[in-house]
């Protein structure tokens, strides 16, 4: 059984990864969940990809398992909190839930196990998300996108033969999700500089130390899975998604709450995040291209509270975003506070540009790498028209307390001006 090292202090005790690793499933259960009864949860696709084999390995080892729960392949299972509540009812104290799948199956089982208060075992079937090793599950709660609390898996197993044979778009999605860490890092550097939120060295290193290397070659599955796993650990360490998620993730949450589909199917997390990432990089390049004097000249006056409220009402009129008004207004600075914040930004303008320069890839390079990974680079490729795309950019600022690059541009009075440079994304 070939294990890969896990940083200290994680909820995850073991990570098995190699070609053919499915054969080790029974050993993992014996060693890490002694005396427990395994219960496989999969969907039609992941059952065929790995679930059936895991069941066989368990049976051959003489371990008695519960009847597996197999969701249909079509329609794909949705990440509903209500489904987790149902699954949790079926988990007894002596059960070890075995999630065989990627994003949704893992999130469902992670949360259900958390509710039931038992440890679970995750068998990954695609390098498509960074949620395998993170605590918390991204779920839809009464139509709203929320990260629900629950521990990370106690054991993770990744058979690289299985990961390799996953549908190509899943690996592309994983790559785009990993690429988002470039943006998340740039934002964190800025909040650190401005005294809004300091960088946590341990969490930072887990994501950023090797990020460029991981992103260099999108066909390198080992790099990709390492990167995604390490990102999950950093969220465990920091107990928040700040190390791994910035404005691009908030954009993806907005589209999710709006029920974005393309050709009748849900758009994967990674693909939405990839489009958001490209937008973020473009906005960052806008800042890179402006001197402090030019930025000051271009800045529009700070909004009054009344103007802000009126704009928010317009942006949120679809009424599918929960009630983020309080969160958005807590962020909002009026009068002297707004002017003071703007001064702080402009005083640090050159430092911000310096930090960005050291952190991001250029727009062209980002686009090239995403294309090479077979991830979409134009908003219309995930079903977005200009109206929904631009609306999201302004709405993403409202839904979470997190300070992102959109907040920086808004506070500097440059958001509208910067957004104009995004039209290029729709072109060939
Ligand atoms: Zn993500």
């Amino acid at each position: 059984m070939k294990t890969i090292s896990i940083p200290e202090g994680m909820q995850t005790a073991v990570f098995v990864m190699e070609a053919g690793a499915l054969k080790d499933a029974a050993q993992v259960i014996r060693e890490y969940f002694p005396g427990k009864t395994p219960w496989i949860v999969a969907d039609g696709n992941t059952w065929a990809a790995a679930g059936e084999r895991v069941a066989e390995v368990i049976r051959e080892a003489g371990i008695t398992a519960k009847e597996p729960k197999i969701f249909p392949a079509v329609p794909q299972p949705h990440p509903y909190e209500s489904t987790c509540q149902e699954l949790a009812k079926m988990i007894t104290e002596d059960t070890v839930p075995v999630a065989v799948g990627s994003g949704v199956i893992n999130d469902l089982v992670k949360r259900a196990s958390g509710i039931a208060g038992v440890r679970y075992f995750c068998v990954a079937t695609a390098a498509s998300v960074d949620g395998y090793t993170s605590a918390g599950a991204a779920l839809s709660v009464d139509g709203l996108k929320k990260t629900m609390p629950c521990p990370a898996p106690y054991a993770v197993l990744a058979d690289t033969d299985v990961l390799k044979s996953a549908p190509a778009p899943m690996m592309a999605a994983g790559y785009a999700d990993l690429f988002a860490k470039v943006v998340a890092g740039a934002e964190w550097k800025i909040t650190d500089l401005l005294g809004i939120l300091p960088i946590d060295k341990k969490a930072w290193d887990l994501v950023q130390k090797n990020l460029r290397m991981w992103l260099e070659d999108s066909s390198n599955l080992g790099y990709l899975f390492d990167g995604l796993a390490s990102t999950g650990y950093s969220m465990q360490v920091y107990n928040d998604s700040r190390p791994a998620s910035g404005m691009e993730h908030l954009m993806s949450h907005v589209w999710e709450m709006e029920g974005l589909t393309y050709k009748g199917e849900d758009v994967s997390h990674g693909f939405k995040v990839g489009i958001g990432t490209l937008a973020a990089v473009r906005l960052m390049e806008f800042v890179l291209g402006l001197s402090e004097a030019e930025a000051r000249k271009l800045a529009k006056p700070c909004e009054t509270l009344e103007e802000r409220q009126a704009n928010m009402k317009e942006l949120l009129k679809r009424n599918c975003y929960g009630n983020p008004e309080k969160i958005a207004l807590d962020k909002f600075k009026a009068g002297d506070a707004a002017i003071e914040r703007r001064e702080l930004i402009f005083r640090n303008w050159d430092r911000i540009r310096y930090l960005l320069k050291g952190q991001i890839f250029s727009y062209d390079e980002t686009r090239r790498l995403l294309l090479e990974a077979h991830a979409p680079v134009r908003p219309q490729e995930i079903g977005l028209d200009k109206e929904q795309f631009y609306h999201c950019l302004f709405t993403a600022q409202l839904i979470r307390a997190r300070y992102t690059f959109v907040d920086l541009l808004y506070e500097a009075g440059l958001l509208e001006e910067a957004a104009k440079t995004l039209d290029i994304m729709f072109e060939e």
Side-chain angles (χ1 to χ4, degrees), residues 130 177 249 269:
D130 60 17
D177 198 17
H249 270 75
H269 170 72

Side-chain angles (χ1 to χ4, degrees), residues 128-131 138 173-174 176-178 180-181 228 231 235 244-245 248-249 252-253 269-270 273:
S128 56
V129 283
D130 60 17
D177 198 17
L178 188 60
K181 288 29 173 180
L228 293 171
T231 302
M235 291 188 271
S245 126
E248 75 299 325
H249 270 75
S252 88
H253 296 335
H269 170 72
V273 163

Side-chain angles (χ1 to χ4, degrees), residues 20-29 38-42 46-66 68 96-101 121-125 157-159 162:
L22 289 184
K23 68 170 176 12
D24 301 322
Q27 193 184 340
V28 170
I29 290 168
W39 180 44
I40 294 176
V41 181
T46 63
W47 176 255
E52 201 169 6
R53 174 77 184 124
V54 170
E56 194 181 271
V57 167
I58 290 172
R59 195 170 49 241
E60 281 168 1
I63 301 171
T64 312
K66 271 172 69 162
V96 46
V98 184
V100 180
F121 175 19
C122 167
V123 177
T125 55
L157 183 148
D159 182 331
V162 174

Side-chain angles (χ1 to χ4, degrees), residues 298-304 307 338-339 342 410-414 416:
L298 213 55
K300 63 171 230 182
C302 298
E303 276 187 328
T304 63
E307 286 167 339
I339 293 166
R342 188 172 287 194
Y410 172 77
E411 291 177 350
L414 295 167
E416 274 90 354

Side-chain angles (χ1 to χ4, degrees), residues 114-359:
I115 296 167
V118 302
R119 287 169 166 169
Y120 86 103
F121 175 19
C122 167
V123 177
T125 55
S128 56
V129 283
D130 60 17
Y132 287 123
T133 51
S134 67
L139 295 167
S140 182
V141 189
D142 300 326
L144 298 178
K145 189 78 198 172
K146 287 191 180 163
T147 302
M148 301 300 284
C150 48
Y154 192 61
V156 182
L157 183 148
D159 182 331
T160 49
D161 288 339
V162 174
L163 301 182
K164 259 186 227 159
S165 51
M170 297 192 82
M171 194 161 156
Y175 182 80
D177 198 17
L178 188 60
F179 214 107
K181 288 29 173 180
V182 172
V183 175
E187 288 179 352
W188 210 1
K189 276 185 171 175
I190 292 170
T191 62
D192 186 69
L193 172 74
L194 299 180
I196 296 168
L197 183 73
I199 283 176
D200 177 289
K201 181 81 170 69
K202 193 174 174 194
W204 173 269
D205 280 351
L206 280 166
V207 178
Q208 300 291 336
K209 223 167 102 191
N210 297 316
L211 183 58
R212 289 203 161 237
M213 180 185 81
W214 292 327
L215 291 174
E216 235 162 54
D217 176 7
S218 58
S219 66
N220 187 321
L221 186 67
Y223 278 176
L224 179 58
F225 209 84
D226 253 11
L228 293 171
S230 198
T231 302
Y233 295 141
S234 80
M235 291 188 271
Q236 277 195 49
V237 164
Y238 194 64
N239 208 12
D240 183 81
S241 60
R242 170 70 280 180
S245 126
M247 61 165 279
E248 75 299 325
H249 270 75
L250 302 194
M251 289 179 80
S252 88
H253 296 335
V254 167
W255 292 323
E256 233 150 279
M257 291 190 279
E258 291 172 353
L260 178 70
T261 56
Y262 183 54
K263 293 186 175 166
E265 285 194 30
D266 289 349
V267 179
S268 69
H269 170 72
F271 281 7
K272 284 179 286 212
V273 163
I275 293 294
T277 297
L278 205 50
V281 168
R282 183 78 187 160
L283 297 175
M284 288 172 180
E285 271 196 348
F286 167 82
V287 166
L288 281 174
L290 276 188
S291 69
E292 182 195 334
E294 287 166 334
R296 283 183 185 271
K297 217 171 126 193
L298 213 55
K300 63 171 230 182
C302 298
E303 276 187 328
T304 63
L305 179 61
E306 292 70 32
E307 286 167 339
R308 183 58 168 162
Q309 281 172 319
N311 286 342
M312 277 171 48
K313 205 172 158 197
E314 180 61 23
L315 287 167
L316 299 172
K317 71 176 177 202
R318 265 185 81 167
N319 207 18
C320 59
Y321 313 101
N323 298 302
E325 288 83 358
K326 189 182 173 323
I327 291 171
L329 286 179
D330 279 351
K331 265 184 177 181
F332 177 71
K333 296 192 182 312
D336 288 349
I339 293 166
E340 216 172 283
R341 172 58 69 83
R342 188 172 287 194
E343 261 317 299
L344 177 71
I345 293 170
F346 286 143
R347 258 201 329 272
N348 284 286
W349 192 254
D350 285 339
R351 300 261 356 226
I352 291 170
R353 290 165 78 206
Y354 176 78
L355 292 180
L356 287 175
K357 211 166 169 27
Q359 172 72 17

